[in-house]
Amino acid sequence: MIILKLGGSIITDKKTYRKFEEDRTRKIIAEISKIKDKFIIIHGGGSFGHIMAKEYNIPGRLNKRSLYYMSLIHYDMSDLNMRVSKILSEYGMGNIPVPPSTYIYGKKKNYDIFRYYVKNNIMPVSYGDVYIKNRNYIGIYSGDDIIYDLSRIFMPEKVIFFSDVDGIFDKNPKIHRDAKLLKTVNKDFNFENDSIDVTGGIINKYNSMVKISKLGIKVYLINGLYPERIKDIGKDNFYGTVV
C-alpha cells in the first residue's frame, strides 16, 4: 500500500482563491495511475482552504460568524475533493471521497470507514478540513496530520508527498538561490515558513514526515511538476528527499 499526499501548493494556485491547477493534477494522476498498488490519497487545501481560513481566523473560537465561514470553507474543500476524485476516476482509479467530518468529531477519531473501503479494494480520497473541535472551538485537521494517523493504522510500504518544491532544502528555495536540496534528512533544520499556510507549511510537513519515518516507513517528497520522478523511488538517481 501507498499513502499519497497531493499538496495544496501543487493542485491549486495558493495565492488565488479557489484556483484549481487541473493540468498539474491530471499530470500527477496520470503518472500514479500506472502504479499497480493500493492507494489512500489525501490532498491539501491550497487556495480552497487556507486563504479564507487565514482571513477569518480559523482555527479559532466557535460563534455565529465563524460557523458561517467554516461552512464556506467546508464547501470549498468538498468542491476541491470532488474535482480530484473525478480526475482519478477518469484515469481508471475508482475511488470514494471521505470527508473528515465522517471520522473526526470533537476529540474522537474513527477510521473504520477507511478500513472498510481498503478491505473492499476501494480507494479512499480524503483531505484536510475544518471541524468542530469542541463546543467553543473550530479546528483544522490538516492533510499531513491525517496521513500520519493513517500511517499508524495501515503501515504502508511508503508514503509520498507531492509538493511544489524538489524536496526539503537547507533554506527556502523560493527565496534563496543558493538553497541546497537535502536528498536525505535525519536531523532538524531551519526553514522560513510560508505565512499564508495556516496548517504549518513545510515545517509541519517535515515534522509529519519525521514522525512517519519513526514508524519504520520510508517517506518521500517529490516535486509535483515532475511526477515522473516517482518511478525513480528507491534508485540512486531519485531526485527528491527521503526521510
Side-chain angles (χ1 to χ4, degrees):
M1 174 187 283
I2 299 172
I3 297 180
L4 189 143
K5 167 75 180 297
L6 299 175
S9 62
I10 197 68
I11 65 171
T12 78
D13 177 345
K14 290 188 75 172
K15 295 181 179 179
T16 305
Y17 178 54
R18 284 179 53 89
K19 183 177 180 182
F20 179 49
E21 295 285 2
E22 182 173 345
D23 290 344
R24 290 182 183 180
T25 307
R26 284 187 177 277
K27 188 176 179 181
I28 294 170
I29 290 173
E31 202 62 51
I32 64 176
S33 68
K34 301 173 186 176
I35 299 172
K36 305 302 180 185
D37 207 332
K38 283 187 175 182
F39 281 94
I40 294 176
I41 293 183
I42 309 296
H43 65 79
S47 63
F48 283 68
H50 296 296
I51 291 177
M52 189 172 288
K54 184 176 179 63
E55 183 174 352
Y56 296 107
N57 299 313
I58 295 174
R61 291 193 64 81
L62 175 61
N63 52 50
K64 186 175 181 180
R65 180 175 181 271
S66 63
L67 185 59
Y68 170 73
Y69 289 111
M70 173 188 165
S71 66
L72 293 183
I73 294 167
H74 176 66
Y75 169 81
D76 287 345
M77 287 304 305
S78 298
D79 181 21
L80 178 60
N81 182 240
M82 294 306 297
R83 298 187 196 203
V84 172
S85 174
K86 184 174 185 291
I87 296 173
L88 286 164
S89 295
E90 290 173 1
Y91 280 87
M93 301 185 76
N95 66 90
I96 185 142
V98 183
S101 56
T102 62
Y103 56 89
I104 181 170
Y105 32 91
K107 295 181 179 179
K108 297 180 180 179
K109 299 174 185 175
N110 187 333
Y111 297 99
D112 287 348
I113 191 168
F114 285 92
R115 294 184 178 94
Y116 176 81
Y117 288 137
V118 169
K119 181 180 178 181
N120 288 280
N121 297 311
I122 302 170
M123 181 173 65
V125 182
S126 193
Y127 51 95
D129 200 7
V130 289
Y131 73 102
I132 302 297
K133 192 170 186 177
N134 58 50
R135 61 188 295 180
N136 298 311
Y137 200 82
I138 296 172
I140 292 179
Y141 190 22
S142 76
D144 293 341
D145 290 338
I146 294 171
I147 285 185
Y148 172 71
D149 288 341
L150 292 175
S151 295
R152 285 192 302 112
I153 293 169
F154 290 99
M155 293 300 295
E157 177 188 350
K158 59 179 73 82
V159 172
I160 302 170
F161 288 81
F162 278 107
S163 189
D164 63 340
V165 292
D166 287 325
I168 300 291
F169 287 77
D170 61 347
K171 59 184 79 171
N172 192 335
K174 298 177 182 178
I175 300 174
H176 303 282
R177 289 188 174 184
D178 61 341
K180 296 180 180 179
L181 176 67
L182 305 175
K183 299 196 78 171
T184 60
V185 176
N186 53 21
K187 57 184 176 61
D188 293 334
F189 72 105
N190 292 318
F191 194 103
E192 295 87 347
N193 197 16
D194 180 354
S195 62
I196 201 172
D197 190 336
V198 295
T199 58
I202 197 69
I203 294 174
N204 193 55
K205 192 178 308 300
Y206 169 75
N207 290 335
S208 294
M209 292 172 71
V210 169
K211 285 169 62 179
I212 294 167
S213 71
K214 288 179 178 178
L215 298 172
I217 301 167
K218 286 287 187 182
V219 189
Y220 302 85
L221 180 58
I222 302 174
N223 192 329
L225 295 175
Y226 308 98
E228 64 276 6
R229 291 175 180 172
I230 196 172
K231 293 182 292 189
D232 295 325
I233 283 179
K235 300 178 182 177
D236 292 340
N237 64 335
F238 171 68
Y239 195 79
T241 296
V242 185
V243 178

